[in-house]
Amino acid sequence: MPVPEFSTARSLLSARAVRARAETLLQAGLDGRLDHFVVDLDRLGPCADAVVETIREAYPDLAIPYHARWRHFSVGGFERWGSLVHAAPFEDPAEQARAAFDLVVVSVLLDAGAGPTWRYEEGRTGETYSRSEGLAVASFDMFVSGLFSSAPEDPFRADARALASLTEAELAEGFQAGPTNPLVGLSGRTALLNRLGQVAAADPEGFGPDARPGFLFDRIKARSRDGEVPAEAVLEVLLTHLGPIWPGRIVLDGVDLGDTWKHPLAGGTGPTEGLVPFHKLSQWLAYSLLEPLEEAGLTVTGLDALTGLPEYRNGGLFLDTGVLALRRPEEAAQAHPVESRLVVEWRALTVALLDRLAPLVRERLEIEDPADLPLAKVLEGGTWATGRRLAKSLRPEGAPPLSIASDGTVF
């Protein structure tokens, strides 16, 4: 099957472009032409076995939820969002959806790697959490406290005025971060939320009269027909309206390309030649908006149009199971910037290999219809959890097999 061509700036703002460019780099890997990685597809079977083992242990009934931020909000068995809704009911389903969007947009944007030593102690439960779960609980607490709202009478929301004026000190306090509890990329996270506020204020079409991320719900709902909205449309709304928030990235023909990087073997023609889009946080956000959309009465179709997420747990899974191997093993000891050719290769290979792994997982679970176990559930069940499990068994603190020098806005 020929790889579709994406030659204009806006054509890269899609999951189809992510998938196509990733597949091109996987083919380069299979041909032995990548600088940093060797690909062994024979190891995909054992990799699928490891994923299935994780799924059967965690979800013996195969009732797997979506890979979404909501899983982290319920860590420790506490249904934090459900308790909030019960204690302070919203006026109607649409307003509840806007509040859910406000929460999850801000929380996902704060969900870059936390580093191995950072911890968050939750006051209401006395529990201590780290990594993604800790970031989620901390951001939930900040949301409930009204930190992201400029309206004291309406604390459970996020708006442009509060986001644009948020300081690094306020965010550090919310995360309980400091010299003895360092959080990676704190300044980058603060700047990202500041830009979100600035962009929301300047885009009333996308963010509505109150300049809230939650108004993106209305934009997505407007794309629905007969109560159905394609997953691609959800991502398109996010990429269109959130694109300008990303720092110092590639701008082509006036279009902010966000999580897009360069690799000489990526293919393409014209101005997009050699560009590799990933849109990891935007797709993670799209997955995390599925449940608020469904609770508001919409059905999201075509879930597998979205791609797997190119981050260190999924990418680590392929390294730790031998599907991928570094040409120069000593590179594992170095910290690599996100724009490096090594990281671009790793992320692209992760996306393409997840597409090949998902059918093997379904086959082993005797699931014939991909709609019964879409990629959004394979990730949750799944590849992300198995990547974390293997990392914990192989390295101190469950560190990934590669070290990324992140600014807090990519992973």
Side-chain angles (χ1 to χ4, degrees):
M1 172 185 278
V3 175
E5 198 45 74
F6 298 89
S7 58
T8 65
R10 290 210 170 273
S11 71
L12 294 183
L13 298 181
S14 69
R16 285 174 296 147
V18 174
R19 184 167 270 120
R21 295 287 166 99
E23 186 63 32
T24 297
L25 285 177
L26 174 59
Q27 191 56 56
L30 294 174
D31 294 340
R33 294 186 292 122
L34 291 181
D35 291 339
H36 297 280
F37 290 94
V38 176
V39 184
D40 183 358
L41 292 185
D42 289 340
R43 296 296 304 167
L44 271 178
C47 179
D49 292 337
V51 173
V52 168
E53 178 185 347
T54 303
I55 289 175
R56 290 201 181 280
E57 181 174 344
Y59 302 100
D61 57 358
L62 300 185
I64 305 169
Y66 297 131
H67 187 57
R69 194 56 158 164
W70 302 100
R71 308 290 78 75
H72 297 152
F73 291 142
S74 60
V75 65
F78 302 103
E79 291 296 335
R80 294 167 181 82
W81 174 251
S83 297
L84 173 64
V85 171
H86 179 75
F90 294 93
E91 293 181 2
D92 55 52
E95 186 51 38
Q96 180 172 317
R98 293 183 195 107
F101 269 50
D102 280 338
L103 168 62
V104 85
V105 168
V106 170
S107 186
V108 165
L109 293 182
L110 291 171
D111 188 37
T117 62
W118 175 80
R119 299 290 185 271
Y120 180 78
E121 183 177 345
E122 185 182 25
R124 73 173 63 82
T125 64
E127 297 293 327
T128 298
Y129 301 105
S130 62
R131 299 192 181 272
S132 285
E133 289 86 351
L135 294 169
V137 174
S139 60
F140 183 89
D141 285 349
M142 285 184 265
F143 177 82
V144 171
S145 76
L147 181 63
F148 307 127
S149 172
S150 65
E153 74 282 2
D154 188 9
F156 305 144
R157 74 176 205 175
D159 58 58
R161 184 177 173 187
L163 293 169
S165 62
L166 186 70
T167 67
E168 185 173 335
E170 288 174 319
L171 202 59
E173 182 180 0
F175 278 125
Q176 301 173 357
T180 61
N181 190 31
L183 177 64
V184 173
L186 187 61
S187 61
R189 294 171 212 264
T190 307
L192 191 60
L193 292 192
N194 292 159
R195 280 192 296 274
L196 173 61
Q198 295 158 6
V199 168
D203 180 10
E205 179 185 354
F207 297 92
D210 294 331
R212 290 174 55 184
F215 196 76
L216 293 173
F217 164 74
D218 298 81
R219 294 272 56 79
I220 292 170
K221 185 178 181 182
R223 302 285 298 273
S224 66
R225 295 291 180 271
D226 299 321
E228 295 185 347
V229 60
E232 283 184 297
V234 175
L235 181 61
E236 183 181 340
V237 167
L238 299 178
L239 292 174
T240 297
H241 294 289
L242 294 177
I245 74 175
W246 305 109
R249 303 283 166 75
I250 298 171
V251 178
L252 190 62
D253 297 332
V255 178
D256 291 280
L257 295 182
D259 187 8
T260 298
W261 312 90
K262 297 178 181 179
H263 195 286
L265 300 182
T269 58
T272 73
E273 182 178 1
L275 295 182
V276 189
F278 294 113
H279 309 310
K280 182 262 177 179
L281 282 177
S282 297
Q283 293 203 81
W284 169 229
L285 180 53
Y287 284 129
S288 297
L289 296 178
L290 297 178
E291 283 152 282
L293 288 166
E294 291 178 351
E295 289 170 5
L298 294 173
T299 299
V300 182
T301 60
L303 291 183
D304 276 353
L306 303 180
T307 77
L309 300 181
E311 44 77 49
Y312 65 88
R313 290 306 183 200
N314 289 323
L317 168 68
F318 292 120
L319 279 167
D320 285 338
T321 55
V323 180
L324 297 178
L326 286 166
R327 287 190 180 278
R328 292 173 289 278
E330 64 271 17
E331 289 183 323
Q334 306 165 18
H336 302 276
V338 293
E339 70 273 13
S340 67
R341 196 173 294 182
L342 181 147
V343 173
V344 174
E345 289 180 8
W346 187 33
R347 298 181 78 197
L349 292 169
T350 297
V351 169
L353 289 169
L354 285 168
D355 276 345
R356 298 195 179 204
L357 181 65
L360 299 180
V361 171
R362 295 184 190 112
E363 179 183 299
R364 284 158 170 74
L365 294 173
E366 300 181 346
I367 295 174
E368 297 182 3
D369 187 351
D372 292 335
L373 190 67
L375 191 54
K377 296 186 176 183
V378 174
L379 294 172
E380 177 62 26
T383 59
W384 189 91
T386 306
R388 171 181 272 190
R389 174 171 66 84
L390 295 178
K392 284 185 175 180
S393 70
L394 293 170
R395 288 173 295 278
E397 302 286 348
L402 287 179
S403 177
I404 309 298
S406 175
D407 64 358
T409 66
V410 176
F411 287 87

